[in-house]
Amino acid sequence: MTDSDLLAAFDDDVIRAVADANDAEEQRLRDALEAHQRTMRENPGVEDLVYEWRKRFDDAVLHRTPETFYVAVREGVWREYGDHLELDDRLLGALVAVHQEQVLRADAVESDDIDADAVAVVVSRPA
């Protein structure tokens, strides 16, 4: 698995724009995105993770393609990832913003599809 595989679900312009808007170093944000995708793939694995979220949250899967799941989870999920990856609040906020923006740019997902108490997650599926 290469780093480019981990970020395949994200548009470079989304990453750049979010980094700029959040005063975050773009490379640190990319590193955080890669670490997050790697963590989801390795523990417990993409399919198991999405299955767990589907059981825990109503309408968790917003859209899926052969390469990517677009999911809505509760904010606590992101806090857990932030703690696990040892991200400061600013970098975690930028990481969440990249996922949210990427989901909103997906043609198949409307902003109304995401509950007010949910936050988007992009989960790339291993090739």
Side-chain angles (χ1 to χ4, degrees):
M1 159 181 23
T2 66
D3 291 344
S4 63
D5 292 337
L6 292 169
L7 297 184
F10 300 95
D11 295 331
D12 285 336
D13 60 327
V14 170
I15 297 170
R16 264 187 237 107
V18 170
D20 288 344
N22 287 275
D23 196 27
E25 182 185 328
E26 184 179 339
Q27 189 55 54
R28 281 191 69 213
L29 181 54
R30 287 179 182 279
D31 292 345
L33 283 163
E34 290 169 0
H36 179 243
Q37 291 296 312
R38 188 176 295 109
T39 297
M40 289 189 294
R41 286 184 182 187
E42 293 174 356
N43 187 20
V46 168
E47 302 298 328
D48 291 339
L49 188 59
V50 172
Y51 175 75
E52 178 183 322
W53 287 339
R54 287 178 66 200
K55 289 188 336 185
R56 286 178 54 194
F57 308 120
D58 293 333
D59 301 320
V61 177
L62 302 168
H63 182 67
R64 80 174 95 194
T65 69
E67 300 83 24
T68 309
F69 283 105
Y70 299 93
V71 185
V73 298
R74 301 300 171 259
E75 187 178 330
V77 170
W78 274 112
R79 281 193 303 272
E80 290 172 15
Y81 278 117
D83 291 346
H84 177 76
L85 297 171
E86 299 178 351
L87 303 176
D88 61 47
D89 289 343
R90 178 178 291 224
L91 188 55
L92 177 59
L95 177 65
V96 173
V98 169
H99 283 257
Q100 189 79 9
E101 183 64 25
Q102 192 66 56
V103 168
L104 292 175
R105 289 190 186 199
D107 293 337
V109 179
E110 298 292 328
S111 60
D112 293 348
D113 294 342
I114 304 171
D115 288 340
D117 60 346
V119 184
V121 179
V122 176
V123 186
S124 63
R125 300 166 100 170

